[in-house]
Amino acid sequence: MDLNIDALESVMNRVPTIDLIPASRVSHEWHRAVRSSLRCHPRQSPWLLLRHLRHPSSSISSIHAFDPFSSSWVSLPQNSPSLDHTKPNGRVTFLCGSSGDRLHTLSASVMLVSEDPFGTAWRKEVKAPKLWRQDAVVAEVGRWIVVAGGGCPMLRDEGEELGAVEVYDKHASLWESAEPIPEGFDGSTSATWLSAAASDERLYLIEKATGLIGMFDPKSKRWGPTCQPISDPTVQSWAVAIGHNERLLVVGVGPDCQSTMMVRLWEVNPETLQGPDSKLEEMEMPREMVERLFPSKEGDDDTWQSCSVEVCGTERGGYVYNPSEMRNGAVFYEFGDEMEKGSRVRRWEWVPLPERVEECGIGRMEFGCSAIGLDELHGFFL
């Protein structure tokens, strides 16, 4: 097509992200228009990643990705790693990553991490940590991989702790032991009871039941302060993610005074684990979105008693969901710019599951989140 370059760039501003790759290959003019469009209007909000196993005990999975720019799902191929599934805990799951969530698997002898968010390519396998774990928090923090908690009481040696932490230095190709999870977390040393967020320098854990936050530095292999920055007795479940403008985002869910569900978000200083000037700015999810995540059943007044919340996100935005009922979908939030007035969240959007997943009555699902650009999408069109 012979289009004026300005008109062509305007067209590219409206093309779904995944279609920009084939569009850029039409001609040199189209390639320049795609690059110019992304420079002027960068698409920085992260995608929601869904890994779906058709049957809870199956190893056959599918990967689906939600593009917040076009508000649409795409289904993508996945290359499963060479893995001995007869070994304990040999299943593939998302790990929390400072550069975006990645698929990984941890067995008794090896650990594998995907190179991209979709698992199309995998890194060279790494020897597993010394301590065998059942349900550990696994996070990629800059140049380090941190494996925390999840120790198995039946298999641990004398002196080993359930909250033991090991750090893998990707530059040195070496595992080292670190300070264990602080005693304040009590018995909550498994991923089931913790929510995690990772920056390039630190790992943050929050205890889902109490809101206690701990900060771990993989470079020094020590934990920093632990505290409960938010005092709200109505919150029944807590979660944490990387927030806007180099802050942490804490999410809480619970009933209000009318016993209707509410989801609140707070920004926390990542250094002190306190709010700015000791005053926490509170944001609230729109009620219609809350009702989609936590639908009340007729005659059921105890929905809030078993509520659970999780969040995955980046400094540009993310997704809140109910891990107990993942078929309810997720809620996308997008942060505004510093110059914008009003709430820091400028966009809320409900994200239903893709149709082909909805049609499957059973199966296991897991959410991840990562910023996606042309480099990550490029491999699907080779």
Side-chain angles (χ1 to χ4, degrees):
M1 293 177 61
D2 185 14
L3 291 176
N4 177 279
I5 188 63
D6 292 335
L8 186 56
E9 182 178 325
S10 180
V11 170
M12 295 306 170
N13 289 340
R14 293 163 172 78
V15 172
T17 309
I18 198 167
D19 294 327
L20 290 177
I21 293 289
S24 68
R25 296 178 177 178
V26 172
S27 66
H28 292 297
E29 287 75 16
W30 281 51
H31 180 82
R32 287 197 296 268
V34 168
R35 293 295 178 181
S36 177
S37 170
L38 293 177
R39 281 196 301 270
C40 297
H41 305 281
R43 305 179 184 188
Q44 298 177 324
S45 292
W47 290 35
L48 178 65
L49 308 172
L50 167 62
R51 186 170 186 270
H52 177 235
L53 276 73
R54 297 185 180 181
H55 189 275
S57 61
S58 172
S59 62
I60 300 175
S61 64
S62 58
I63 289 286
H64 310 271
F66 177 80
D67 176 8
F69 177 81
S70 60
S71 296
S72 60
W73 285 95
V74 294
S75 298
L76 303 166
Q78 181 194 355
N79 298 326
S80 297
S82 299
L83 181 68
D84 183 359
H85 286 278
T86 64
K87 296 176 181 177
N89 199 26
R91 63 188 183 92
V92 178
T93 59
F94 283 108
L95 62 74
C96 173
S98 55
S99 59
D101 296 345
R102 295 290 185 267
L103 291 168
H104 86 290
T105 181
L106 178 62
S107 72
S109 58
V110 299
M111 181 178 67
L112 286 169
V113 180
S114 64
E115 291 185 349
D116 61 75
F118 313 119
T120 57
W122 293 76
R123 304 173 195 169
K124 182 179 178 181
E125 67 180 37
V126 172
K127 186 177 179 181
K130 174 185 175 182
L131 178 63
W132 169 239
R133 304 159 191 271
Q134 285 184 315
D135 185 26
V137 173
V138 183
E140 194 165 29
V141 185
R143 61 180 279 186
W144 300 277
I145 295 178
V146 180
V147 181
C152 180
M154 302 298 295
L155 299 178
R156 60 176 175 162
D157 295 330
E158 184 177 353
E160 291 180 339
E161 301 189 48
L162 295 178
V165 176
E166 292 178 78
V167 178
Y168 181 77
D169 188 333
K170 292 184 287 185
H171 293 182
S173 301
L174 179 68
W175 283 103
E176 293 185 279
S177 297
E179 186 178 8
I181 294 176
E183 293 182 358
F185 282 85
D186 258 346
S188 302
T189 58
S190 297
T192 301
W193 312 112
L194 300 170
S195 176
S199 69
D200 286 333
E201 298 179 347
R202 294 185 180 91
L203 168 67
Y204 299 92
L205 297 181
I206 188 169
E207 194 173 48
K208 293 181 179 180
T210 65
L212 178 71
I213 300 180
M215 176 176 63
F216 177 73
D217 180 358
K219 185 176 181 180
S220 66
K221 302 176 185 61
R222 299 188 65 84
W223 290 84
T226 59
C227 67
Q228 292 174 280
I230 304 161
S231 177
D232 190 334
T234 66
V235 173
Q236 303 296 316
S237 179
W238 301 89
V240 67
I242 296 300
H244 184 54
N245 196 26
E246 298 183 350
R247 293 192 175 274
L248 284 181
L249 185 71
V250 175
V251 179
V253 62
D256 60 11
C257 56
Q258 285 80 35
S259 295
T260 57
M261 297 298 295
M262 295 185 66
V263 176
R264 302 180 183 91
L265 297 82
W266 296 268
E267 287 189 328
V268 173
N269 187 304
E271 301 289 339
T272 64
L273 301 184
Q274 300 292 332
D277 300 325
S278 299
K279 295 181 180 179
L280 293 166
E281 294 190 30
E282 179 180 317
M283 296 166 277
E284 186 175 325
M285 182 184 292
R287 189 165 298 276
E288 62 271 21
M289 303 292 178
V290 178
E291 291 174 353
R292 290 182 183 271
L293 289 185
F294 303 95
S296 58
K297 299 178 181 179
E298 188 174 353
D300 185 4
D301 296 329
D302 298 327
T303 303
W304 62 270
Q305 292 184 359
S306 58
C307 67
S308 180
V309 71
E310 189 54 270
V311 59
C312 52
T314 70
E315 70 279 358
R316 303 300 303 183
Y319 301 84
V320 180
Y321 60 95
N322 178 358
S324 300
E325 295 289 343
M326 295 186 66
R327 291 192 174 276
N328 293 344
V331 173
F332 168 63
Y333 62 89
E334 182 181 51
F335 292 116
D337 296 328
E338 286 297 317
M339 300 303 293
E340 294 183 3
K341 295 181 179 180
S343 173
R344 290 182 180 273
V345 177
R346 68 179 177 188
R347 175 186 170 192
W348 297 93
E349 180 179 344
W350 176 59
V351 182
L353 296 185
E355 290 184 5
R356 63 177 61 188
V357 175
E358 284 279 16
E359 294 170 356
C360 298
I362 58 176
R364 181 167 60 84
M365 291 179 285
E366 184 181 12
F367 284 142
C369 175
S370 183
I372 305 295
L374 295 190
D375 291 340
E376 288 80 10
L377 295 172
H378 181 76
F380 299 116
F381 297 92
L382 293 178

